[in-house]
Amino acid sequence: MSSAQSSMQLSNVSDPLRVHVPPNETPEERKRRIAAEKKAKKISEAIDKQLKAERDEMEKTRGTKLLLLGSSESGKTTVLKQLKIIHGKGLENEREQYRHIVHLNVLTAIKALAKGFEVNNLTLENSENDEHLAAILSLSSIKESLNRQSLSLQAAVGGLKSADDATAILLANYESVKAVWSDSAVQKYFESANDIGLQDSAKYFLDNVDRLAQENYLPTDEDILQARIRTLGVTEHKFDINSTTYKIYDVGGHRSQRQYWAPYFDDVNAIIFMAAVSAFDQPLEEDLRINRMRDSLDLFNTICNHPLFKNTSIILFLNKIDILKKKLNRLQLKTYFKEYQGANDFQSVTKFFRREFLSRNKVVDKNVYVHFTHATDTTQMRVIVASVNDMIQRENLKASGLI
């Protein structure tokens, strides 16, 4: 076949992208054809614009759905508080409510310390504080369950006759709380008391008890960020970030709460998974035989490789790095993770945990974005939230085929 014949054959192949030009077209016909093409193009562009507007409106109405998952005590609720500060209406409407929660956190912390002191038959440095220790131990209004690390809003209100009782009890026992906490023997015991269910913010609240016990006390943003409340069930939160509506579902991380996660697994844009890297020396509240970090690793393995999340990106927040840094000054990671043989410094330990989590991902081409976080630090979280938003927008554009 000659090249001329080949060219002729190729020219006869139907090409939907080519405009058919009639043979021997007159100038008048050409003018009408061009006008018709311009009109058709204008109509097509208008339709495309309308469809895009409808898709954008639908997406805006539907929102970007995020799941906030992780073990209990990992800091999920703190991240939501930060989002309220950074992209919401702030915490102003919650201050009065948190006054009672903060006071109950103080009482829970000092009662746990006093109980541990008693169980271990320890002696106070200053014998004059014995009566103050007895006063703390006699606070029967604080339920035994509240001596543990977990504290729920329901317990805060229902555990006492009223939420106001927590404030009344703290004000009535302020001197005893201060005396017991300031005793050097209690301070020493606190440094090694990792098995009595102390919340991570115990020191913060006990160090600030003078301010917290003022008659006119109202919690600061920092106080609210430090306050511990257990998430029970599933809560939905909406935030508008750079014209995108985010629907964030926070589900309780306690083992008994994980059975409620499944219904929220469908149609998820991304998952924020949180793990407290500072918990390497702590047992689970629900099962003292299980290490908290190992539980987080197992849970991440389940979530990361779940069939419904095959194409879902995961943002991994390895949280509480501030507490981790302090712990590494007095504890050896390899005592709790025998497989770890690296240096006991922050850089090496965080690399180890990052590698451990990422190694659980068995899904090829799955994106896992890692951030080391200090969730109570608003400045740091502001930067991380902006980064997460950019990442999610890029992922959404990829899923739409626009990039």
Side-chain angles (χ1 to χ4, degrees):
M1 182 183 298
S2 67
S3 59
Q5 289 175 318
S6 298
S7 299
M8 186 176 293
Q9 275 198 343
L10 289 172
S11 67
N12 289 330
V13 175
S14 177
D15 183 351
L17 299 179
R18 293 182 61 184
V19 178
H20 175 68
V21 179
N24 304 319
E25 183 181 43
T26 66
E28 186 62 30
E29 288 173 335
R30 181 175 182 276
K31 185 178 179 180
R32 286 198 299 269
R33 176 176 57 78
I34 292 174
E37 288 173 0
K38 286 182 178 179
K39 184 178 180 181
K41 183 179 180 183
K42 191 174 182 179
I43 294 173
S44 177
E45 288 175 347
I47 293 172
D48 289 343
K49 186 176 181 180
Q50 183 179 348
L51 289 173
K52 183 181 184 303
E54 290 174 355
R55 284 197 302 269
D56 290 345
E57 184 61 31
M58 188 180 298
E59 182 64 29
K60 187 176 180 180
T61 304
R62 185 178 71 86
T64 297
K65 182 177 177 180
L66 301 183
L67 282 184
L68 187 55
L69 304 179
S71 300
S72 182
E73 309 296 330
S74 58
K76 300 188 299 299
T77 303
T78 305
V79 167
L80 286 170
K81 293 175 190 174
Q82 290 285 20
L83 285 170
K84 290 179 183 179
I85 293 173
I86 299 168
H87 291 289
K89 298 179 180 179
L91 304 173
E92 203 60 41
N93 295 333
E94 302 175 43
R95 294 196 194 284
E96 186 59 40
Q97 179 188 38
Y98 267 97
R99 180 171 184 257
H100 312 302
I101 304 303
V102 166
H103 288 163
L104 194 51
N105 272 227
V106 175
L107 293 170
T108 301
I110 198 66
K111 183 71 183 287
L113 281 168
K115 188 70 176 177
F117 216 74
E118 179 186 50
V119 169
N120 288 284
N121 296 313
L122 300 174
T123 304
L124 292 170
E125 183 70 24
N126 184 353
S127 59
E128 293 180 2
N129 291 331
D130 287 344
E131 62 181 275
H132 291 299
L133 181 65
I136 298 299
L137 288 169
S138 69
L139 294 179
S140 57
S141 295
I142 307 297
K143 285 189 174 182
E144 196 63 32
S145 62
L146 298 183
N147 292 336
R148 298 184 174 183
Q149 187 169 359
S150 291
L151 179 66
S152 68
L153 183 59
Q154 289 88 333
V157 175
L160 306 171
K161 291 180 181 178
S162 73
D164 291 306
D165 285 351
T167 295
I169 291 171
L170 177 60
L171 295 180
N173 292 274
Y174 158 70
E175 293 296 340
S176 292
V177 172
K178 187 173 176 63
V180 170
W181 174 240
S182 62
D183 193 280
S184 58
V186 173
Q187 291 280 328
K188 183 178 179 181
Y189 173 61
F190 171 80
E191 291 298 324
S192 59
N194 66 334
D195 59 348
I196 61 173
L198 279 174
Q199 63 259 35
D200 292 321
S201 56
K203 178 174 171 56
Y204 172 85
F205 286 128
L206 291 171
D207 281 347
N208 284 281
V209 69
D210 286 336
R211 175 173 62 84
L212 307 181
Q214 295 294 317
E215 289 281 356
N216 60 349
Y217 163 71
L218 201 62
T220 63
D221 283 358
E222 180 67 14
D223 295 342
I224 295 175
L225 287 170
Q226 295 283 351
R228 171 73 184 105
I229 299 177
R230 179 195 290 175
T231 301
L232 296 181
V234 180
T235 58
E236 178 186 320
H237 305 265
K238 290 184 180 180
F239 299 96
D240 289 321
I241 303 177
N242 295 342
S243 302
T244 299
T245 298
Y246 283 87
K247 293 181 180 180
I248 302 179
Y249 295 85
D250 177 23
V251 295
H254 196 278
R255 281 192 159 192
S256 62
Q257 295 289 306
R258 296 175 192 174
Q259 59 183 306
Y260 303 113
W261 292 11
Y264 297 87
F265 281 5
D266 288 337
D267 197 26
V268 176
N269 295 90
I271 293 170
I272 296 177
F273 187 95
M274 298 195 66
V277 287
S278 61
F280 68 84
D281 64 321
Q282 295 174 272
L284 275 181
E285 176 192 337
E286 311 91 292
D287 189 339
L288 299 179
R289 299 168 300 176
I290 300 175
N291 179 279
R292 284 192 179 188
M293 274 302 295
R294 294 195 185 279
D295 177 67
S296 288
L297 285 162
D298 289 343
L299 182 57
F300 182 77
N301 179 69
T302 301
I303 295 299
C304 196
N305 300 300
H306 195 287
L308 285 177
F309 299 143
K310 182 179 179 181
N311 299 312
T312 304
S313 296
I314 294 183
I315 302 132
L316 175 61
F317 281 7
L318 296 180
N319 193 34
K320 302 190 179 182
I321 57 174
D322 54 319
I323 301 171
L324 174 66
K325 289 176 182 177
K326 294 175 182 176
K327 280 191 175 182
L328 292 176
N329 291 328
R330 58 185 176 83
L331 297 175
Q332 294 288 320
L333 177 62
K334 60 185 176 184
T335 302
Y336 306 91
F337 281 76
K338 303 295 184 184
E339 64 270 34
Y340 181 70
Q341 297 301 318
N344 202 64
D345 59 76
F346 179 77
Q347 189 91 4
S348 302
V349 168
T350 50
K351 280 184 178 179
F352 168 73
F353 282 130
R354 183 181 190 277
R355 187 169 59 249
E356 286 295 300
F357 275 95
L358 290 180
S359 69
R360 266 58 178 182
N361 176 29
K362 307 302 181 186
V363 182
V364 179
D365 296 329
K366 186 182 192 68
N367 291 322
V368 179
Y369 303 88
V370 184
H371 295 273
F372 289 98
T373 59
H374 176 182
T376 56
D377 184 340
T378 303
T379 301
Q380 191 220 33
M381 289 306 300
R382 194 181 298 275
V383 174
I384 289 175
V385 168
S387 174
V388 168
N389 178 56
D390 288 343
M391 182 280 296
I392 290 174
Q393 296 309 315
R394 286 197 305 272
E395 292 295 320
N396 285 345
L397 288 173
K398 285 181 183 177
S400 333
L402 296 177
I403 62 172

